Each structure stands twice: as structure tokens, then as C-alpha cells.
Amino acid sequence: MWTYHPDLLAKPVPRYTSYPTAMEFVEDVGADDYARALDAVDSATPVSLYVHIPFCENICWYCGCNTGAAGRKQRLDDYLTALRAEIALVAKRLGGRGRIRRIAFGGGSPNAIAPVELVRLLDLLLTVFDAHRPDVSIELDPRGFSSEWALVLAAAHVTRVSLGVQTFAPHVQQAIGRIQPLSHIERAVAALRLRDIDAINFDLMYGLPGQELADVDATIDEALALAPSRIAFFGYAHLPQMIARQRRIDASRLPGQRLRFEQAELGYRRLTAAGYVPVGFDHFARPDDSLAVAAREGRVNRNFQGFTEDDAPVLIGFGASAISKFPDLIVQNEKKSGPYRDLVGEGRLAAARGVRVDAREQRRAAHIRDLLCNGRAHLDAAEIASARGALSDFEQKGVIEWDGEALVIRDCGLPYARHVAACFDGIRGNIAAA
């Protein structure tokens, strides 16, 4: 189905959960820019909210998220106090403008805090932003999940739950520091469905240490038996120079590029054969899921949570390291919890770095989004002239084709989608923007 072209994959490229990427954030963009962007939001603007809980009961070695151990109760309490203060501060600045459609809790592991604390946070968000029955989603670590959590989530009208599964292979779990028997996942899924929470996502990974094709195959078998609504199938990124905890992973046991490619292809083949609709380059959804519907209608978007049907032009992030996005601005809160608490405690917005996005970069962002989300981007004449030369290798190898003014990534070219999109990146690419 897919043809392996190692030369096309040789250059590392971002995942493009945003463009410009976090690598381009600078410290001279921050709180003042964030304040102006909030002030510019009008009453009709759809807004999504994201709440970051940077704590986990146990730290997995592979994880690249901003998270730490939730060992000290006082540390958690202090963080939650600051988080509530930031929510109130931003809500006051927004002044009731904007229509809140979605609220997402991520981390870390939001279930590292007590269930009652989640309820308090959600109640605060609904009240100060005057939100009326938004879609509410949450990421959960199955190892810290309980029937009490299922009851609380149902009572709080949580509409979607994402479970960090990664792999069911015991020896691979051992290699990444995440021991999680299949029975834990089965209990979590059963408890959620008992409370009528049926929109359940699984996060799976390939490219893990000691992981063979048979391990991927068996994990997909077990995932399909539990029939989640969506499956995200990510490739592990080993960056021990940047992420200290990854140094505990034996790099000599990581699959090579060819095996990673075969693992990704196996996952795509198995999941689509089981009836899941492919979305972007690493998401899969059951045909009746809202993400699959959005894919059929060409409405898929990409943000910091991955591929989504959420097309709100404004995303406001709360918590240490959380990112907020506006059409012409991306800002990130202070990453470290201590300085974050200090900023909020002084009544200041916590945005500490970011990037302004001018009209040309917005156009680049649109092309990258369209290619990754929908597999095609419409270019103007000047862009086509530049793109044909820059993408000649991809065209010769059958990865892309042209449909009039539309650049199309062929189905067999899906593994190279990010590399095609990277050609439109103002820093990493070589295609002139209009």
C-alpha cells in the first residue's frame, strides 16, 4: 500500500499542532499581546478553553508533556489556587464576550487531582464564562481511574474521554516505564460506558523500544475488541537531549526508520480494514463519530490536542505552559509552576512567550493545515510555480499530484504528509508564500 522512501523522511519535521510552531516562540511576545488579543474578541466569536493539569501519579519515561509527579498535596493545592485565579483574571478581561463551545482538560493527567477539584474547576469555568452546555473532554490515565471518577464525569456532563493506552505489550510497557495491564483499560471503558459516556478515545503509539510488528498487531487486536470511538496512533519521538526522563529509555532498542514505517502502515491498514475512517496522518474515527463526519465534510482542524472537528478561531489555555491561539497571535504561559503561580498571584496574565502571525504566515498556516487535515491545499499561480519545483521529488515518487490549482497528497503519500506540509514552512521550507 505504502512505498518506503527513506530520502523523503530523512529530514525531521514538526508535528504542526500549530504554525508557527513552538520553536518560533520568542520572549518579546507575551502578556501585553495576549491582553490585546483578548480585548479584540467580540461577542459572536466561538471560543474553546483548555485547562492544563501538569501532574501525574507516575511519570512515564517516554512522555514529552510538561508534567511532574503529584506527590505533595500542598503543591497541587497551590497550583489549583493559581489556576482558579488565572481563570477569573482572564474571564474578567474577556468581559462576557465570546461563545464558549468546548472545554478540554489535559496534562499530565487531570485525574491526578481529586474528582471534587475537577468539578470545582468546571463549575468555575461554566460560571465565569457564562458557558451553556459546552462539549467537555478530558484526558485520563487509566492507572488512576476509578468508578468514582466515572460517576463524577457523568454528573459533570463530560462528553468525551481520552485514555492513554500506548501499548498492551507487557515488555514494551516495561521499557517505557508504564505498567498498565489490559484489565485496567477494560475496567475503565466498562465504567465509563456504564455511566453513558460512550465517546472514548484511545492513544496508541508505535516506534517504542523493543516494539515489533507483532506487538503492534496484538495491541490493535485488543483495542478493536474494546471499540473506542477514536484512535490516535502516534509515532514516539525520542528527544533525550530535550526531555530528561527519556534518558531512561534504551535507545539501542528503538525501532529503525524502516520498522517504524512498517508499524505505521500496519496500524493504518488494520484500523481502516476494521471500518475506522482515517483522519489526517495519525487519527482514526468510527464512521458515526463527529470527527469522521467532519472529515467527510472537509471540516477537520488541527490544534494542540491533535486533529479535531473544533473550528473555533480562538483557543484560550489555562495553567503552566498552556498555549492560547488567536488568528494573528499564539502565546504560551510561563512553563514552570512556581513562576506561573507568582505571576497569577500578582494579578498578571501568565503569557510569557509567543509569536505574532502576520497575513503571510496565516496563509502558510492555512496551507499546512489544509494539507494535513484534508490532504489538499489550493494555491495561487505564484505559489504553484514555486511549489512545483520544491515538490518535484514528491511528485516523481507518486506522493503528490495536482488537480488544477489544488495540491493533493495521494492516499499512498500519507506517511509523507508532514514533509510535504513542511515545504510551506517559512523557516524549514522553500516555497514562496503569496
Side-chain angles (χ1 to χ4, degrees), residues 170-314:
H171 68 280
V172 182
Q173 292 180 355
Q174 185 76 40
I176 61 174
R178 187 184 181 95
I179 306 303
Q180 184 174 261
L182 171 61
S183 60
H184 287 193
I185 312 298
E186 291 174 331
R187 283 199 300 268
V189 169
L192 291 167
R193 287 179 173 154
L194 183 64
R195 297 297 176 181
D196 294 322
I197 300 175
D198 295 316
I200 301 172
N201 305 351
F202 279 8
D203 288 343
L204 304 180
M205 295 187 79
Y206 65 89
L208 295 171
Q211 189 179 41
E212 301 293 341
L213 282 174
D215 300 318
V216 173
D217 209 25
T219 286
I220 291 175
D221 278 341
E222 288 158 338
L224 291 175
L226 292 170
S229 304
R230 300 178 188 175
I231 294 176
F233 190 49
F234 300 105
Y236 167 62
H238 190 59
L239 302 167
Q241 299 86 358
M242 297 175 58
I243 305 167
R245 63 179 68 106
Q246 290 189 352
R247 295 168 195 162
R248 301 185 68 178
I249 287 178
D250 183 354
S252 69
R253 300 188 62 211
L254 292 171
Q257 188 183 84
R258 181 62 184 257
L259 180 53
R260 283 176 62 96
F261 185 91
E262 292 172 350
Q263 290 174 345
E265 181 182 25
L266 175 61
Y268 181 92
R269 180 161 43 82
R270 290 290 319 276
L271 293 171
T272 53
Y276 282 77
V277 176
V279 180
F281 55 82
D282 60 8
H283 279 46
F284 301 83
R286 283 165 42 179
D288 58 345
D289 186 88
S290 57
L291 184 60
V293 174
R296 289 195 293 271
E297 298 175 354
R299 295 186 292 103
V300 176
N301 198 10
R302 185 154 175 81
N303 63 21
F304 305 104
Q305 283 81 58
F307 291 103
T308 175
E309 71 275 28
D310 181 9
D311 59 357
V314 173

Side-chain angles (χ1 to χ4, degrees), residues 150-172:
L151 180 61
V152 167
L153 295 177
H157 303 291
V158 169
T159 49
R160 184 172 295 276
V161 170
S162 292
L163 298 177
V165 175
Q166 322 315 342
T167 176
F168 288 113
H171 68 280
V172 182

Side-chain angles (χ1 to χ4, degrees), residues 320-378:
S321 80
I323 297 175
S324 298
K325 188 175 184 298
F326 302 83
D328 59 354
L329 177 74
I330 308 174
V331 289
Q332 183 174 32
N333 280 357
E334 166 60 46
K335 289 184 176 183
K336 296 180 179 179
S337 294
Y340 162 78
R341 294 196 306 268
D342 291 342
L343 285 170
V344 175
E346 295 167 3
R348 299 162 60 189
L349 294 172
R353 57 200 292 264
V355 61
R356 301 179 189 96
V357 190
D358 62 22
R360 179 169 291 190
E361 289 297 89
Q362 289 177 39
R363 184 164 179 82
R364 289 186 182 278
H367 288 337
I368 289 171
R369 178 202 63 214
D370 291 345
L371 286 168
L372 296 183
C373 295
N374 304 312
R376 63 170 51 220
H378 291 272

